Amino acid sequence: MVNRKQPKRNYNVPVHVIKRLINTHTNVDDHTRELEKKLQAQIVALKQAEDRLKDTEEQFKNMVDQQTALVELNDAKDEFISLASHQLRTPATGVKQFIGMLLEGYFGDLTEEQKTVLDYAYESNERQLQVINDLLKVAQVDAGKVVLNKQVYDLADMLEDIMQEQRAQFEKRNQHVFLDRPDSPVTASVDVGRIRMVVENLIDNASKYTPEGKKITVSLHQPHIGGKFVSIKVKDEGVGIAEEDIPKIFQKFSRVDNPLSVKVGGTGIGLYWAKKIVDLHDGTISLKSKPARGTTFVVKIPA
Ligand code: ADP
């Protein structure tokens, strides 16, 4: 048997190669650890983002719940106002009729004193009915229950009529009132009763918020050729409205204090309702005002 001795292997790997190998191995481990760390940080960040998303979701849900509760509360309030006003109107109308009968002498002659007291009672009752009717009008418009009953109507005729009706009030306040209208009819398709109330309200406000002896001008303009709107302007020389108060005046129940507002009553409903009605006609209502100089309201209605 030949016993061959295994030759001794000499790999003779240089030291620097061995070092590099060790280094590379160590670097791979570091790299993995680094990646692991980054991954973990990303997982934590993702978890936090998920938590934040859950919080936001929760907040959003709460907001929706609150909004629903508010809408329900608002509906309940509107219904209450509507019901209460209906219930109040019937007895208040009864009082008006009975006082009217007394004043007309149905139950015998009255002394001057009795007449004066009954006149006061009649006026107070009128104001009460006015407030009740205003509340009912607002409840109806807020509930979206206003259905316009439109017909083509001569607005010039309507204005003449209103001016005639309010003449006594202008005279009482010693105000000079002018109507500037074209000679020919100016027609538009409107809900006559409601647009009349809108204009009455603007003219009534002009008179309420204008001192004695001053001028109020109501004018009616036909659309220019090809124009689309009829416009009604109510211009006064009254107390005016400060610029910062202008956005408030079309808000519900919003009264703006001015030198005459304490003296004259009001509910802060008139302009809110007027704007809603003009909007329903696809029209616009706007104003310009200068404190102590006067105010001009313009209502535009499709011709
Ligand atoms: P009310 O007259 O019952 O207070 P309105 O809705 O008709 O309610 O008007 C809201 C507010 O706008 C009034 O309180 C008043 O301050 C202001 N206003 C309206 N019209 C005029 C006007 N022509 N001149 C000055 N202020 C006005």
Side-chain angles (χ1 to χ4, degrees):
M1 258 179 73
V2 185
N3 190 5
R4 274 217 220 128
K5 212 177 168 196
Q6 288 283 325
K8 194 174 173 194
R9 285 184 188 147
N10 181 5
Y11 293 103
N12 207 12
V13 184
V15 173
H16 76 274
V17 174
I18 294 173
K19 273 190 180 167
R20 202 188 305 148
L21 268 171
I22 292 171
N23 259 344
T24 313
H25 183 69
T26 320
N27 281 346
V28 166
D29 269 0
D30 282 354
H31 191 60
T32 313
R33 269 197 290 277
E34 195 63 29
L35 274 177
E36 245 172 40
K37 258 194 208 159
K38 276 189 185 159
L39 209 64
Q40 260 164 11
Q42 276 175 358
I43 289 172
V44 171
L46 265 172
K47 181 94 188 46
Q48 284 171 348
E50 200 184 330
D51 288 349
R52 279 205 298 275
L53 196 70
K54 268 193 192 141
D55 282 352
T56 315
E57 226 174 55
E58 191 72 19
Q59 279 170 9
F60 185 68
K61 206 175 150 296
N62 284 343
M63 270 165 59
V64 171
D65 287 351
Q66 276 172 11
Q67 176 81 3
T68 315
L70 277 177
V71 168
E72 280 171 6
L73 204 67
N74 203 34
D75 287 350
K77 182 209 70 191
D78 286 349
E79 208 178 317
F80 169 76
I81 291 180
S82 168
L83 265 174
S85 324
H86 269 296
Q87 300 294 335
L88 286 170
R89 188 158 64 166
T90 316
T93 310
V95 172
K96 184 185 166 94
Q97 283 162 358
F98 293 130
I99 299 176
M101 284 161 84
L102 282 170
L103 278 170
E104 279 177 22
Y106 274 60
F107 305 101
D109 289 340
L110 301 171
T111 65
E112 275 312 302
E113 231 175 1
Q114 286 169 335
K115 250 186 106 190
T116 310
V117 171
L118 280 176
D119 274 339
Y120 282 139
Y122 194 87
E123 260 179 43
S124 297
N125 174 257
E126 284 264 276
R127 282 206 300 277
Q128 184 185 18
L129 273 168
Q130 184 64 48
V131 173
I132 294 171
N133 285 337
D134 277 358
L135 288 174
L136 273 172
K137 276 183 346 195
V138 165
Q140 196 190 29
V141 88
D142 280 351
K145 284 188 186 155
V146 172
V147 181
L148 296 182
N149 177 17
K150 283 191 184 178
Q151 53 177 295
V152 176
Y153 200 80
D154 177 12
L155 297 179
D157 199 37
M158 177 191 285
L159 290 182
E160 294 274 5
D161 224 40
I162 298 174
M163 302 291 269
Q164 195 57 38
E165 223 171 60
Q166 298 199 356
R167 191 157 299 279
Q169 175 180 293
F170 301 134
E171 274 167 15
K172 207 166 127 191
R173 293 181 175 144
N174 194 22
Q175 289 159 337
H176 311 289
V177 187
F178 300 93
L179 173 62
D180 174 14
R181 53 154 292 190
D183 291 333
S184 51
V186 179
T187 54
S189 173
V190 293
D191 183 317
V192 181
R194 292 192 170 100
I195 286 296
R196 186 184 169 113
M197 279 194 250
V198 168
V199 180
E200 275 172 356
N201 187 263
L202 295 181
I203 298 178
D204 187 47
N205 275 349
S207 172
K208 274 194 329 190
Y209 301 117
T210 296
E212 289 198 3
K214 298 279 181 177
K215 193 167 89 176
I216 296 167
T217 313
V218 179
S219 39
L220 177 65
H221 299 273
Q222 241 162 353
H224 317 288
I225 295 163
K228 292 190 180 121
F229 291 93
V230 171
S231 61
I232 299 169
K233 232 188 238 182
V234 180
K235 183 172 188 284
D236 65 53
E237 295 178 344
V239 291
I241 306 166
E243 206 179 327
E244 66 268 23
D245 289 330
I246 288 180
K248 294 185 208 155
I249 67 159
F250 291 108
Q251 288 169 11
K252 190 159 43 169
F253 301 124
S254 159
R255 295 207 77 208
V256 174
D257 285 341
N258 64 44
L260 289 174
S261 57
V262 188
K263 213 167 104 192
V264 293
T267 52
I269 282 176
L271 288 177
Y272 170 78
W273 183 82
K275 180 162 174 17
K276 293 266 173 185
I277 295 301
V278 173
D279 285 349
L280 283 173
H281 279 83
D282 296 320
T284 59
I285 179 165
S286 58
L287 74 140
K288 279 194 185 134
S289 189
K290 278 225 165 89
R293 298 283 293 278
T295 306
T296 304
F297 278 90
V298 181
V299 172
K300 288 190 175 173
I301 296 171

